[in-house]
Amino acid sequence: MKNTPLLDKVKIHFSSDADFNQYPFSLPFIKNLQEITFPTQVTFFVGENGTGKSTILEAIAHNAGFGLEGGSKNISFKTSEDYTYHGIYSLAECFKLSWRLKPKNGYFFRAESFFNVANYLDALKDAAVYDSYGGKSLHAQSHGEGFLSFFQNRLGSSGFFIFDEPEAALSPQRQLALLSIIHDVCKNPDAQFIIATHSPLLLAYPDATIYSCDSADLTTIAYKDTEHYQITKTFLDNPDYYLHHLFKD
């Protein structure tokens, strides 16, 4: 029997104040968004740059109690002015999260601002905070080592995790290690991952739900139908063909 995710669905109801000519309401698929369901423990959002993958994750994260720059619910900091987040706050107000079980553990991992999380932890000047990050400052590790150290040490055995492009600093081998980590955590029914990614390796996670943000509607898509899989496979099958067309005068 399949485990039931912690977050069952997100219902979207746009207020009369929503301006569909302004970001993020102007994003094509968001205009038509009514509901997002999570039938599996692992859900991916894919799409071209600028389609709204991260925007959806940020709105969910805000409603779940995480800071928009990432971290656990106990980490709260801002490196930008409030107006920077106005669009996400407005979208988040239109989201209603329906939980099977509200988790005690969780984390919003943003590759883009993980450096700021490392600064925050160092500023605490408390060696104990590093226990969940490999036992030492993230700045004392390489970018990729810091990422992997977080995934290996912070997740625990259950929880609600939102990852925004976790592959950013990981080699292909380390991306495979992350797949194994996610699989181990998901042995517990009280674990769920929502991930925005461009990685064809991560997208191969078995039985995951994959949502495409590339059209006017949010739709599910099979792994081998994603551009990430198709472009990567055809390039590796015949790189000379691609390079010839990319570099021709």
Side-chain angles (χ1 to χ4, degrees), residues 141-189:
Q141 307 172 59
S142 75
H143 198 35
E145 287 173 332
F147 273 40
L148 188 64
S149 182
F150 164 80
F151 296 131
Q152 289 175 327
N153 295 283
R154 176 57 183 80
L155 303 187
S157 60
S158 65
F160 181 68
F161 304 104
I162 302 175
F163 292 170
D164 191 3
E165 300 186 6
E167 75 277 8
L170 298 180
S171 69
Q173 186 64 45
R174 295 295 173 86
Q175 291 181 46
L176 294 177
L178 176 55
L179 280 177
S180 179
I181 292 169
I182 293 172
H183 174 72
D184 286 343
V185 177
C186 282
K187 290 176 182 177
N188 189 321

Side-chain angles (χ1 to χ4, degrees), residues 14-52:
F14 295 116
S15 68
S16 58
D17 295 332
D19 185 350
F20 292 98
N21 293 313
Q22 297 291 327
Y23 171 86
F25 300 99
S26 58
L27 294 169
F29 84 88
I30 287 182
K31 292 180 179 181
N32 298 318
L33 200 55
Q34 296 181 338
E35 183 178 272
I36 307 172
T37 59
F38 298 94
T40 54
Q41 283 182 284
V42 178
T43 301
F44 292 104
F45 287 85
V46 300
E48 190 50 82
N49 298 134
T51 54

Side-chain angles (χ1 to χ4, degrees), residues 93-110:
E93 288 178 357
C94 304
F95 280 27
K96 182 177 181 181
L97 277 55
S98 176
W99 299 93
R100 173 182 66 84
L101 175 68
K102 284 194 174 183
K104 295 180 179 179
N105 182 38
Y107 208 98
F108 178 28
F109 178 91
R110 295 180 78 240

